[in-house]
Structures are given as C-alpha cells and as structure tokens.
C-alpha cells in the first residue's frame, strides 16, 4: 500500500470535511512522497523530537516517509517560516528527508473507533453513543454503561490501570463509595462538553484540560469530573490506529517512542521546619 492509497482509505473513514472550522486536518507537509510504499510513524503530536526519531529510523535503514499525527502541525494563520522556529524547522526537515506530515484531528474525534470510542472500549462501556452527536450516529465523546457498576474509587483505579496518567484530578467532593453506572468519556480538551455529559445522564465524566470553575460547575451539577490529562486520554487512539494500519498490510508502521506528554507533576522536597 502506498501513501496515497493509505490516505484515501483513511479519509473514507474520517473525512477531513468533517473537521471544525478552526481546525487544520489533512496534509501539513507533503514533500512528494504519495506514490511511495507507506512506512509510517504514528504520533499524537508532531514535534521535533518525533521528526528526529523518524530521521534516525531512516538512517538505521527503515525509510520512514510519513508522520501520521493526531494534532496538526500548523494551526491558525501561519504568517511566516523563519529559520530556528519549530514549525519552520519541521517543514525544512520534512522536505530535506522526504518525510510527509499528515494530521487527523477533529475528524478523527467523531468517527467510530476514533479517539472517544477507544476510551469507551478501554473502560468496557456498553450501549455506547455520542454525547454530542454530529451526523449519522457520529459525534464527540461517548457515554455508556458500566457492567457491572463500579464504585468511584474502583473506577479511578480502572482509569489509572488502562491509561497510566501521571495523576488524576478529580472533583474534590467525589464520594469514593458512590456507585457509578453511566460514564461519559472524551479524549483531549473536553471541558466544554460538561453540559452535554450531564444532559446525557452521565454520573462521571473522563476528559482533560479542565479549569478550576469547570470542576465547580461539575460539582454543582452532580457530575464527578475526572481529568486524566490530554496525552493519556488521546494516546491510546494512536496505538489503536497503528493496529488498523497493520491490518491493512502497511509495509511498516510503528507508534512513536518520542511522543511527548507536556504535562508533568513535580515531586517537591519535604519542607523541614528549623
């Protein structure tokens, strides 16, 4: 399968036309590689670290020619490409080493087996449906039923086990012995869908990038809000995409080992009074 065939297959599944107006899905850099056999490095975010990883693989004899990312490289109105700036450097290296960069963002969030469905599957949710439908059964986020129902503390343990986040941020008054049956999930920045999760009947909502007052809103509306971090909630979909591409017979595909979680928690030294 060459790159053109791979992209045609993917866009038949997650049409870039479905992206939000502010988004930038599709080709970010196409240095004339579409006719080549696809050798793909999948990542969440296209960074210089991922590009250097792709170049190192080429130098080792694996001729990687496509970085397939969830997040776009180019967002907003790009006005210039200047030496030393990250986007310019990514573009320069892409052309110099013949490595394309393609992104699937909000189109991939909506589809069956996209970012939200992968989270729902990891938590083994049943009777799953979108929390914010867009078209033909697709949409943002998923809500489903836990079978069997879990206490909050057990649900948190399950999330930690499946997603391995550095930390979980949870509504401060979450009753750990409360039984949860209906759970909503949305990978990435999903705080703006709190209202949709509540209206869909969710008792707990797993997402990321939640602000102080959004935890307040969730508390006031009886929703247990669980922030597991942007990376932890979206990276599993990248792993699943690798499996899809392998099943298609792509010549070489691998999940990036240089993909980065930009959110960390510092361990501070104990303060000793003197």
């Amino acid at each position: 399968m060459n790159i053109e065939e791979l992209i045609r297959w993917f866009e038949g599944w997650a049409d870039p036309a479905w992206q939000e107006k502010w988004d930038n899905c599709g080709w970010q850099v196409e240095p004339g590689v579409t006719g080549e056999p696809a050798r793909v490095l999948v990542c969440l975010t296209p960074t210089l670290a991922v590009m250097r990883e792709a170049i190192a693989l080429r130098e080792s004899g694996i001729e990687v020619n496509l970085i397939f990312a969830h997040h776009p490289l180019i967002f907003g109105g790009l006005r210039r490409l200047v030496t030393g700036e990250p986007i310019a450097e990514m573009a320069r290296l892409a052309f110099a080493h013949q490595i394309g960069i393609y992104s699937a963002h909000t189109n991939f969030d909506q589809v069956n087996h996209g970012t939200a469905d992968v989270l729902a599957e990891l938590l083994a949710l049943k009777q799953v449906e979108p929390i914010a439908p867009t078209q033909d059964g697709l949409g943002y986020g998923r809500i489903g039923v836990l079978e069997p129902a879990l206490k909050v503390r057990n649900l948190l343990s399950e999330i930690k086990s499946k997603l391995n986040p550095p930390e979980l941020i949870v509504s401060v008054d979450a009753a750990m012995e409360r039984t949860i049956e209906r759970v909503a999930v949305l990978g990435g920045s999903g705080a703006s869908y709190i209202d949709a999760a509540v209206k869909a009947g969710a008792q707990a909502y797993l997402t990321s990038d939640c602000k102080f007052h959004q935890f307040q809103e969730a508390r006031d509306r009886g929703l247990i809000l669980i922030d597991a971090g942007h990376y932890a909630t979206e990276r599993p979909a990248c792993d699943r995409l690798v499996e899809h591409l392998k099943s298609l017979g792509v010549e070489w595909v691998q999940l990036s080992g240089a993909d980065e979680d930009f959110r960390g928690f510092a361990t501070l030294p104990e303060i000793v009074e003197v």
Side-chain angles (χ1 to χ4, degrees):
M1 172 178 279
N2 65 28
I3 290 177
E4 182 178 6
E5 292 167 335
L6 185 157
I7 298 301
R8 188 183 308 122
W9 166 82
F10 182 84
E11 292 184 350
W13 172 28
D15 192 335
W18 300 342
Q19 68 182 290
E20 296 296 322
K21 293 180 180 178
W22 48 263
D23 204 1
N24 185 33
C25 301
W27 281 108
Q28 309 290 292
V29 181
E30 199 289 276
V33 296
T34 56
E36 297 180 6
R39 292 177 287 270
V40 189
L41 189 63
V42 175
C43 68
L44 181 62
T45 309
T47 62
L48 283 169
V50 174
M51 176 59 77
R52 293 187 187 110
E53 179 186 15
I55 293 169
L57 285 165
R58 287 183 69 90
E59 291 173 347
S60 74
I62 301 169
E63 296 184 359
V64 174
N65 51 18
L66 178 63
I67 293 173
F68 197 111
H70 180 46
H71 296 143
L73 173 69
I74 301 169
F75 249 143
L78 182 63
R79 296 182 177 224
R80 63 182 188 176
L81 292 173
V82 177
T83 299
E85 293 186 353
I87 293 178
E89 186 67 4
M90 286 284 287
R92 182 186 72 79
L93 292 171
F95 280 103
H97 294 274
Q98 294 291 282
I99 300 171
I101 304 171
Y102 184 95
S103 293
H105 195 211
T106 51
N107 57 327
F108 190 45
D109 288 331
Q110 299 175 59
V111 296
N112 292 323
H113 307 297
T115 55
D117 267 333
V118 171
L119 279 181
E121 290 165 12
L122 287 174
L123 295 181
L125 298 182
K126 309 296 183 185
Q127 303 172 41
V128 173
E129 58 186 7
I131 61 172
T134 53
Q135 57 177 322
D136 298 329
L138 306 183
Y140 293 109
R142 298 292 185 267
I143 184 168
V145 177
L146 282 171
E147 294 180 356
L150 295 175
K151 294 184 184 300
V152 171
R153 66 173 67 257
N154 299 121
L155 174 60
L156 297 179
S157 295
E158 187 73 5
I159 291 169
K160 286 182 179 180
S161 172
K162 298 296 186 181
L163 301 186
N164 193 31
E167 291 287 346
L168 289 177
I169 305 174
V170 186
S171 301
V172 68
D173 63 347
M176 291 297 159
E177 299 306 314
R178 178 181 170 188
T179 299
I180 300 297
E181 297 180 5
R182 287 181 64 79
V183 177
V185 298
L186 193 153
S189 302
S192 62
Y193 290 93
I194 288 173
D195 182 65
V198 171
K199 289 179 177 177
Q203 297 167 289
Y205 179 32
L206 169 64
T207 187
S208 76
D209 300 344
C210 301
K211 298 179 181 179
F212 178 86
H213 288 295
Q214 290 161 336
F215 276 96
Q216 177 190 13
E217 176 190 355
R219 181 203 64 185
D220 291 347
R221 301 185 70 176
L223 178 70
I224 295 175
L225 186 58
I226 306 166
D227 186 329
H230 204 114
Y231 181 91
T233 57
E234 289 193 325
R235 173 82 165 178
C238 297
D239 194 16
R240 191 66 58 84
L241 180 60
V242 169
E243 295 177 12
H244 281 305
L245 296 182
K246 285 180 178 178
S247 71
L248 289 174
V250 170
E251 181 175 311
W252 187 93
V253 57
Q254 180 173 294
L255 187 64
S256 170
D259 218 353
E260 300 165 274
D261 187 351
F262 306 117
R263 189 187 81 151
F265 291 83
T267 301
L268 301 178
E270 183 178 352
I271 298 175
V272 179
E273 293 185 5
V274 294

